[in-house]
Amino acid sequence: PVCSMGNSTSRLYSALAKTLSSSAVSQHQNCLEQPDLAQLDPIDPKDLLEECQIVLQKRPPRFQRDFVDLKKNATSNHRPIRVMQWNILAQALGEGKDNFVQCPMEALKWEERKCLILEEILAYKPDILCLQEVDHYFDTFEPLLSRLGYQCTFFPKPWSPCLDVEQNNGPDGCALFFLKDRFELINSANIRLTAMKLKTNQVAIAQTLKCNETGRLFCIAVTHLKARTGWERFRSAQGCDLLQNLKSITQGAKIPLIICGDFNAEPTEEVYREFSNSSLNLNSAYKLLSPDGQSEPPYTTWKIRPSGECRHTLDYIWYSQHALNVNSALGLLTEEQIGPNRLPSFNYPSDHLSLVCDFSFNQDPDRLL
């Protein structure tokens, strides 16, 4: 049945609907051209959330996840910076390659899955959003998020597997969004990661931002390392390359750093140890949810493929522990919430869980370096 919508929302709904049928964008030879977004009106996030909920009215309600307070009596004189990390599952891969045997194809329809993704982003209101497997950047995420006040950057994989799927929407890649009223862009680098001196198919974006409230600089990076078993040394080399780049960008950790990514690596892998032991003095924010502050969550992705059930911890938010505090972190979905058919599902749009942390600046970062 068609929902009746008042005039106040029909204009916005038509803007949302237009992002569903942009076959022009699938002519992705022009996918790196920036469309002119200056004429687009700002969107009230409440209106967009309402529109998403109308599209999703036949789906189960969104899961309740609570933030865990991690402040250790630290007082901050500025608003925390909320950072969201999420591999949102490329549409072409979800429908065409990933073979989620327990997920009905109907649950993967882009018109609705897109609204589930937007609903999750709108619910947590990140100041900075780091996404992987974005293959609907130009027809969905850039036009909508720019109208919500975000500055948007996209860097596609050179040889995206999405392009092997019929009726794909162009290559997937990493995307980084930050609120323009909170931060000023000082420097931006698109990094094609190397391994064994060779350029690889994996990428990163690193941006140096100035916090308007405090005047403090920090660097935010997003990446997605090579997938699959057997590629551990390759991931390790990619991680080393990314760390070298970030050492240069942060002037050897003088500028605080937050790195979001799907590393495709369990905490037992060499690339994880490289980040843990780096001279950049990094810690993994989600370890702080464990009782001793030393253990990663039991999973950040959980799916069922023809080869069997895969439950892994692959997604991380790393941060400069001498310069930044983690005030809170969003709790993960429980096994009961995820359900026996695992992810993705009618309830949840991706095979990876979103990670969200609130950060504040230490008052005297140099003393702790």
Side-chain angles (χ1 to χ4, degrees):
V2 175
C3 308
S4 157
M5 282 178 278
N7 289 338
S8 63
T9 57
S10 57
R11 178 180 58 80
L12 198 147
Y13 181 75
S14 70
L16 183 64
K18 271 179 199 156
T19 71
L20 302 179
S21 58
S22 48
S23 58
V25 180
S26 65
Q27 312 308 310
H28 46 76
Q29 64 270 25
N30 298 323
C31 73
L32 296 181
E33 288 180 12
Q34 293 291 323
D36 187 1
L37 301 168
Q39 310 99 313
L40 297 175
D41 297 333
I43 300 175
D44 184 326
K46 288 185 186 146
D47 289 345
L48 182 57
L49 185 58
E50 198 175 297
E51 295 303 338
C52 289
Q53 286 165 346
I54 289 166
V55 174
L56 296 170
Q57 60 187 337
K58 292 185 178 168
R59 293 222 179 190
R62 213 173 54 79
F63 292 122
Q64 175 67 35
R65 294 169 68 185
D66 297 317
F67 280 89
V68 179
D69 188 351
L70 298 168
K71 285 197 292 288
K72 296 184 182 145
N73 307 318
T75 55
S76 171
N77 53 11
H78 68 89
R79 275 189 299 159
I81 296 169
R82 176 163 290 182
V83 176
M84 183 173 188
Q85 146 60 31
W86 200 11
N87 177 333
I88 59 170
L89 173 61
Q91 184 63 22
L93 301 184
E95 286 188 305
K97 280 198 157 197
D98 276 346
N99 222 341
F100 301 115
V101 291
Q102 296 295 99
C103 179
M105 283 303 285
E106 196 185 341
L108 295 171
K109 283 197 312 197
W110 179 239
E111 305 90 79
E112 294 179 11
R113 201 172 77 82
K114 172 186 75 170
C115 288
L116 275 179
I117 294 168
L118 289 168
E119 185 184 47
E120 181 102 342
I121 294 165
L122 291 162
Y124 299 126
K125 305 185 184 80
D127 300 305
I128 299 171
L129 173 62
C130 294
L131 301 179
Q132 299 87 32
E133 290 201 23
V134 179
D135 63 346
H136 275 270
Y137 176 80
F138 291 104
D139 66 346
T140 300
F141 293 104
E142 185 188 36
L144 288 174
L145 290 173
S146 64
R147 294 171 72 185
L148 291 168
Y150 289 92
Q151 184 152 329
C152 314
T153 306
F154 176 62
F155 192 23
K157 291 174 186 162
W159 314 293
S160 166
C162 293
L163 300 180
D164 297 335
V165 178
E166 275 187 44
Q167 297 182 309
N168 66 76
N169 200 63
D172 76 303
C174 292
L176 201 163
F177 309 84
F178 66 83
L179 286 177
K180 290 185 285 189
D181 65 352
R182 288 214 65 185
F183 311 107
E184 177 190 344
L185 179 63
I186 303 300
N187 180 52
S188 186
N190 286 356
I191 303 164
R192 185 167 165 195
L193 298 175
T194 64
M196 298 80 169
K197 308 245 175 161
L198 297 173
K199 290 187 182 300
T200 72
N201 194 34
Q202 279 64 45
V203 300
I205 304 167
Q207 296 189 332
T208 304
L209 306 180
K210 182 165 93 173
C211 175
N212 293 336
E213 189 181 338
T214 63
R216 298 275 293 269
L217 294 180
F218 67 100
C219 176
I220 178 79
V222 55
T223 194
H224 187 187
L225 302 188
K226 172 72 183 159
R228 298 204 171 82
T229 307
W231 292 86
E232 293 80 6
R233 286 185 62 202
F234 197 82
R235 279 191 286 275
S236 173
Q238 289 182 326
C240 284
D241 182 49
L242 180 56
L243 286 168
Q244 282 302 120
N245 276 279
L246 293 173
K247 277 174 195 165
S248 170
I249 290 166
T250 62
Q251 299 160 32
K254 283 200 179 84
I255 298 171
L257 176 61
I258 299 169
I259 309 160
C260 294
D262 174 358
F263 279 60
N264 276 308
E266 290 272 10
T268 50
E269 269 197 39
E270 182 64 33
V271 67
Y272 182 94
R273 290 193 291 277
E274 281 157 6
F275 273 72
S276 294
N277 301 327
S278 161
S279 62
L280 293 170
N281 196 21
L282 300 170
N283 193 21
S284 172
Y286 263 72
K287 277 166 54 174
L288 302 179
L289 287 180
S290 66
D292 61 358
Q294 299 300 312
S295 310
E296 291 290 351
Y299 49 84
T300 62
T301 178
W302 201 340
K303 57 201 136 197
I304 301 174
R305 285 184 165 143
S307 55
E309 195 159 338
C310 314
R311 189 185 89 147
H312 298 293
T313 300
L314 306 177
D315 307 87
Y316 305 96
I317 300 178
W318 296 92
Y319 69 102
S320 302
Q321 56 189 336
H322 60 284
L324 296 164
N325 296 307
V326 184
N327 296 1
S328 61
L330 183 66
L332 298 170
L333 294 179
T334 64
E335 180 175 359
E336 185 180 31
Q337 284 175 313
I338 289 171
N341 294 332
R342 308 315 183 200
L343 304 173
S345 64
F346 281 109
N347 302 70
Y348 196 79
S350 176
D351 54 328
H352 288 252
L353 300 178
S354 63
L355 308 182
V356 187
C357 290
D358 289 335
F359 289 97
S360 59
F361 291 107
N362 272 340
Q363 302 311 307
D364 186 11
D366 297 330
R367 188 175 55 78
L368 299 165
L369 187 57

PDB file of all heavy atoms in Angstrom, residues 158-179:
ATOM      1  N   PRO A 158      41.001   0.438  -6.947  1.00  0.00           N
ATOM      2  CA  PRO A 158      41.348   0.464  -8.381  1.00  0.00           C
ATOM      3  C   PRO A 158      40.654  -0.631  -9.194  1.00  0.00           C
ATOM      4  O   PRO A 158      40.242  -0.396 -10.327  1.00  0.00           O
ATOM      5  CB  PRO A 158      42.861   0.264  -8.385  1.00  0.00           C
ATOM      6  CG  PRO A 158      43.320   0.720  -7.035  1.00  0.00           C
ATOM      7  CD  PRO A 158      42.197   0.401  -6.100  1.00  0.00           C
ATOM      8  N   TRP A 159      40.546  -1.830  -8.614  1.00  0.00           N
ATOM      9  CA  TRP A 159      39.872  -2.939  -9.313  1.00  0.00           C
ATOM     10  C   TRP A 159      38.823  -3.520  -8.377  1.00  0.00           C
ATOM     11  O   TRP A 159      39.034  -4.555  -7.742  1.00  0.00           O
ATOM     12  CB  TRP A 159      40.865  -4.042  -9.703  1.00  0.00           C
ATOM     13  CG  TRP A 159      42.123  -3.539 -10.327  1.00  0.00           C
ATOM     14  CD1 TRP A 159      42.269  -2.916 -11.529  1.00  0.00           C
ATOM     15  CD2 TRP A 159      43.438  -3.616  -9.755  1.00  0.00           C
ATOM     16  NE1 TRP A 159      43.586  -2.596 -11.745  1.00  0.00           N
ATOM     17  CE2 TRP A 159      44.326  -3.011 -10.678  1.00  0.00           C
ATOM     18  CE3 TRP A 159      43.963  -4.127  -8.571  1.00  0.00           C
ATOM     19  CZ2 TRP A 159      45.692  -2.910 -10.445  1.00  0.00           C
ATOM     20  CZ3 TRP A 159      45.315  -4.029  -8.321  1.00  0.00           C
ATOM     21  CH2 TRP A 159      46.170  -3.421  -9.259  1.00  0.00           C
ATOM     22  N   SER A 160      37.711  -2.858  -8.302  1.00  0.00           N
ATOM     23  CA  SER A 160      36.678  -3.287  -7.356  1.00  0.00           C
ATOM     24  C   SER A 160      36.003  -4.566  -7.830  1.00  0.00           C
ATOM     25  O   SER A 160      35.609  -4.672  -8.993  1.00  0.00           O
ATOM     26  CB  SER A 160      35.626  -2.189  -7.216  1.00  0.00           C
ATOM     27  OG  SER A 160      34.481  -2.691  -6.570  1.00  0.00           O
ATOM     28  N   PRO A 161      35.822  -5.550  -6.925  1.00  0.00           N
ATOM     29  CA  PRO A 161      35.089  -6.769  -7.307  1.00  0.00           C
ATOM     30  C   PRO A 161      33.634  -6.492  -7.664  1.00  0.00           C
ATOM     31  O   PRO A 161      32.994  -7.311  -8.313  1.00  0.00           O
ATOM     32  CB  PRO A 161      35.199  -7.664  -6.064  1.00  0.00           C
ATOM     33  CG  PRO A 161      35.522  -6.744  -4.931  1.00  0.00           C
ATOM     34  CD  PRO A 161      36.284  -5.594  -5.524  1.00  0.00           C
ATOM     35  N   CYS A 162      33.118  -5.338  -7.253  1.00  0.00           N
ATOM     36  CA  CYS A 162      31.737  -4.990  -7.621  1.00  0.00           C
ATOM     37  C   CYS A 162      31.563  -4.932  -9.136  1.00  0.00           C
ATOM     38  O   CYS A 162      30.475  -5.216  -9.656  1.00  0.00           O
ATOM     39  CB  CYS A 162      31.347  -3.637  -7.033  1.00  0.00           C
ATOM     40  SG  CYS A 162      31.246  -3.622  -5.238  1.00  0.00           S
ATOM     41  N   LEU A 163      32.629  -4.561  -9.839  1.00  0.00           N
ATOM     42  CA  LEU A 163      32.520  -4.387 -11.293  1.00  0.00           C
ATOM     43  C   LEU A 163      32.327  -5.714 -12.025  1.00  0.00           C
ATOM     44  O   LEU A 163      31.962  -5.731 -13.206  1.00  0.00           O
ATOM     45  CB  LEU A 163      33.755  -3.663 -11.832  1.00  0.00           C
ATOM     46  CG  LEU A 163      33.999  -2.262 -11.241  1.00  0.00           C
ATOM     47  CD1 LEU A 163      35.251  -1.640 -11.836  1.00  0.00           C
ATOM     48  CD2 LEU A 163      32.795  -1.360 -11.455  1.00  0.00           C
ATOM     49  N   ASP A 164      32.567  -6.838 -11.325  1.00  0.00           N
ATOM     50  CA  ASP A 164      32.328  -8.156 -11.915  1.00  0.00           C
ATOM     51  C   ASP A 164      30.862  -8.553 -11.852  1.00  0.00           C
ATOM     52  O   ASP A 164      30.465  -9.565 -12.442  1.00  0.00           O
ATOM     53  CB  ASP A 164      33.142  -9.238 -11.176  1.00  0.00           C
ATOM     54  CG  ASP A 164      34.633  -9.017 -11.295  1.00  0.00           C
ATOM     55  OD1 ASP A 164      35.053  -8.378 -12.276  1.00  0.00           O
ATOM     56  OD2 ASP A 164      35.371  -9.476 -10.399  1.00  0.00           O
ATOM     57  N   VAL A 165      30.064  -7.800 -11.107  1.00  0.00           N
ATOM     58  CA  VAL A 165      28.660  -8.159 -10.894  1.00  0.00           C
ATOM     59  C   VAL A 165      27.808  -7.419 -11.921  1.00  0.00           C
ATOM     60  O   VAL A 165      27.971  -6.217 -12.127  1.00  0.00           O
ATOM     61  CB  VAL A 165      28.217  -7.785  -9.459  1.00  0.00           C
ATOM     62  CG1 VAL A 165      26.748  -8.111  -9.243  1.00  0.00           C
ATOM     63  CG2 VAL A 165      29.076  -8.515  -8.433  1.00  0.00           C
ATOM     64  N   GLU A 166      26.888  -8.156 -12.557  1.00  0.00           N
ATOM     65  CA  GLU A 166      26.004  -7.520 -13.543  1.00  0.00           C
ATOM     66  C   GLU A 166      25.174  -6.438 -12.882  1.00  0.00           C
ATOM     67  O   GLU A 166      24.768  -6.560 -11.729  1.00  0.00           O
ATOM     68  CB  GLU A 166      25.063  -8.576 -14.146  1.00  0.00           C
ATOM     69  CG  GLU A 166      25.699  -9.336 -15.310  1.00  0.00           C
ATOM     70  CD  GLU A 166      24.685 -10.244 -15.980  1.00  0.00           C
ATOM     71  OE1 GLU A 166      23.547  -9.792 -16.204  1.00  0.00           O
ATOM     72  OE2 GLU A 166      25.041 -11.394 -16.244  1.00  0.00           O
ATOM     73  N   GLN A 167      24.893  -5.365 -13.624  1.00  0.00           N
ATOM     74  CA  GLN A 167      24.077  -4.237 -13.141  1.00  0.00           C
ATOM     75  C   GLN A 167      24.648  -3.649 -11.856  1.00  0.00           C
ATOM     76  O   GLN A 167      23.917  -3.283 -10.942  1.00  0.00           O
ATOM     77  CB  GLN A 167      22.619  -4.669 -12.923  1.00  0.00           C
ATOM     78  CG  GLN A 167      21.963  -5.114 -14.228  1.00  0.00           C
ATOM     79  CD  GLN A 167      20.516  -5.495 -14.023  1.00  0.00           C
ATOM     80  OE1 GLN A 167      20.201  -6.282 -13.143  1.00  0.00           O
ATOM     81  NE2 GLN A 167      19.639  -4.949 -14.844  1.00  0.00           N
ATOM     82  N   ASN A 168      25.982  -3.594 -11.788  1.00  0.00           N
ATOM     83  CA  ASN A 168      26.607  -2.994 -10.606  1.00  0.00           C
ATOM     84  C   ASN A 168      26.445  -1.476 -10.658  1.00  0.00           C
ATOM     85  O   ASN A 168      26.042  -0.902 -11.667  1.00  0.00           O
ATOM     86  CB  ASN A 168      28.087  -3.377 -10.528  1.00  0.00           C
ATOM     87  CG  ASN A 168      28.888  -2.792 -11.677  1.00  0.00           C
ATOM     88  OD1 ASN A 168      29.195  -1.613 -11.708  1.00  0.00           O
ATOM     89  ND2 ASN A 168      29.206  -3.643 -12.675  1.00  0.00           N
ATOM     90  N   ASN A 169      26.791  -0.854  -9.548  1.00  0.00           N
ATOM     91  CA  ASN A 169      26.643   0.599  -9.430  1.00  0.00           C
ATOM     92  C   ASN A 169      28.008   1.287  -9.386  1.00  0.00           C
ATOM     93  O   ASN A 169      28.173   2.328  -8.771  1.00  0.00           O
ATOM     94  CB  ASN A 169      25.853   0.923  -8.155  1.00  0.00           C
ATOM     95  CG  ASN A 169      25.241   2.305  -8.213  1.00  0.00           C
ATOM     96  OD1 ASN A 169      24.403   2.567  -9.068  1.00  0.00           O
ATOM     97  ND2 ASN A 169      25.670   3.191  -7.339  1.00  0.00           N
ATOM     98  N   GLY A 170      28.985   0.670 -10.023  1.00  0.00           N
ATOM     99  CA  GLY A 170      30.326   1.237  -9.999  1.00  0.00           C
ATOM    100  C   GLY A 170      31.181   0.600  -8.909  1.00  0.00           C
ATOM    101  O   GLY A 170      30.744  -0.303  -8.196  1.00  0.00           O
ATOM    102  N   PRO A 171      32.429   1.053  -8.774  1.00  0.00           N
ATOM    103  CA  PRO A 171      33.351   0.434  -7.825  1.00  0.00           C
ATOM    104  C   PRO A 171      33.007   0.765  -6.381  1.00  0.00           C
ATOM    105  O   PRO A 171      32.415   1.807  -6.098  1.00  0.00           O
ATOM    106  CB  PRO A 171      34.700   1.060  -8.198  1.00  0.00           C
ATOM    107  CG  PRO A 171      34.348   2.381  -8.798  1.00  0.00           C
ATOM    108  CD  PRO A 171      33.030   2.180  -9.499  1.00  0.00           C
ATOM    109  N   ASP A 172      33.389  -0.127  -5.470  1.00  0.00           N
ATOM    110  CA  ASP A 172      33.257   0.187  -4.047  1.00  0.00           C
ATOM    111  C   ASP A 172      34.575   0.768  -3.540  1.00  0.00           C
ATOM    112  O   ASP A 172      35.623   0.620  -4.183  1.00  0.00           O
ATOM    113  CB  ASP A 172      32.874  -1.044  -3.235  1.00  0.00           C
ATOM    114  CG  ASP A 172      34.036  -2.002  -2.999  1.00  0.00           C
ATOM    115  OD1 ASP A 172      34.630  -2.463  -3.995  1.00  0.00           O
ATOM    116  OD2 ASP A 172      34.379  -2.278  -1.835  1.00  0.00           O
ATOM    117  N   GLY A 173      34.506   1.418  -2.399  1.00  0.00           N
ATOM    118  CA  GLY A 173      35.711   1.993  -1.812  1.00  0.00           C
ATOM    119  C   GLY A 173      35.454   2.495  -0.413  1.00  0.00           C
ATOM    120  O   GLY A 173      34.412   2.198   0.186  1.00  0.00           O
ATOM    121  N   CYS A 174      36.412   3.254   0.098  1.00  0.00           N
ATOM    122  CA  CYS A 174      36.300   3.856   1.427  1.00  0.00           C
ATOM    123  C   CYS A 174      35.711   5.266   1.283  1.00  0.00           C
ATOM    124  O   CYS A 174      35.987   5.968   0.313  1.00  0.00           O
ATOM    125  CB  CYS A 174      37.669   3.963   2.089  1.00  0.00           C
ATOM    126  SG  CYS A 174      38.392   2.367   2.531  1.00  0.00           S
ATOM    127  N   ALA A 175      34.935   5.657   2.293  1.00  0.00           N
ATOM    128  CA  ALA A 175      34.364   7.007   2.303  1.00  0.00           C
ATOM    129  C   ALA A 175      34.518   7.601   3.697  1.00  0.00           C
ATOM    130  O   ALA A 175      34.423   6.888   4.697  1.00  0.00           O
ATOM    131  CB  ALA A 175      32.897   6.976   1.895  1.00  0.00           C
ATOM    132  N   LEU A 176      34.767   8.906   3.723  1.00  0.00           N
ATOM    133  CA  LEU A 176      34.965   9.616   4.983  1.00  0.00           C
ATOM    134  C   LEU A 176      34.101  10.872   4.975  1.00  0.00           C
ATOM    135  O   LEU A 176      34.097  11.620   3.994  1.00  0.00           O
ATOM    136  CB  LEU A 176      36.444   9.983   5.143  1.00  0.00           C
ATOM    137  CG  LEU A 176      36.976  10.278   6.547  1.00  0.00           C
ATOM    138  CD1 LEU A 176      38.494  10.202   6.568  1.00  0.00           C
ATOM    139  CD2 LEU A 176      36.539  11.635   7.066  1.00  0.00           C
ATOM    140  N   PHE A 177      33.359  11.074   6.059  1.00  0.00           N
ATOM    141  CA  PHE A 177      32.434  12.206   6.170  1.00  0.00           C
ATOM    142  C   PHE A 177      32.679  12.901   7.510  1.00  0.00           C
ATOM    143  O   PHE A 177      32.794  12.231   8.533  1.00  0.00           O
ATOM    144  CB  PHE A 177      30.971  11.720   6.137  1.00  0.00           C
ATOM    145  CG  PHE A 177      30.640  10.804   4.983  1.00  0.00           C
ATOM    146  CD1 PHE A 177      30.897   9.440   5.057  1.00  0.00           C
ATOM    147  CD2 PHE A 177      30.059  11.309   3.826  1.00  0.00           C
ATOM    148  CE1 PHE A 177      30.596   8.594   3.997  1.00  0.00           C
ATOM    149  CE2 PHE A 177      29.744  10.461   2.762  1.00  0.00           C
ATOM    150  CZ  PHE A 177      30.012   9.109   2.847  1.00  0.00           C
ATOM    151  N   PHE A 178      32.736  14.237   7.515  1.00  0.00           N
ATOM    152  CA  PHE A 178      32.814  14.946   8.792  1.00  0.00           C
ATOM    153  C   PHE A 178      31.913  16.176   8.748  1.00  0.00           C
ATOM    154  O   PHE A 178      31.672  16.749   7.676  1.00  0.00           O
ATOM    155  CB  PHE A 178      34.258  15.335   9.133  1.00  0.00           C
ATOM    156  CG  PHE A 178      34.882  16.350   8.217  1.00  0.00           C
ATOM    157  CD1 PHE A 178      34.673  17.718   8.391  1.00  0.00           C
ATOM    158  CD2 PHE A 178      35.695  15.942   7.157  1.00  0.00           C
ATOM    159  CE1 PHE A 178      35.238  18.648   7.542  1.00  0.00           C
ATOM    160  CE2 PHE A 178      36.273  16.874   6.303  1.00  0.00           C
ATOM    161  CZ  PHE A 178      36.041  18.240   6.499  1.00  0.00           C
ATOM    162  N   LEU A 179      31.401  16.560   9.914  1.00  0.00           N
ATOM    163  CA  LEU A 179      30.499  17.701  10.007  1.00  0.00           C
ATOM    164  C   LEU A 179      31.276  19.009   9.827  1.00  0.00           C
ATOM    165  O   LEU A 179      32.208  19.292  10.576  1.00  0.00           O
ATOM    166  CB  LEU A 179      29.775  17.706  11.358  1.00  0.00           C
ATOM    167  CG  LEU A 179      28.657  16.665  11.526  1.00  0.00           C
ATOM    168  CD1 LEU A 179      28.092  16.744  12.932  1.00  0.00           C
ATOM    169  CD2 LEU A 179      27.540  16.859  10.492  1.00  0.00           C
TER     170      LEU A 179
END
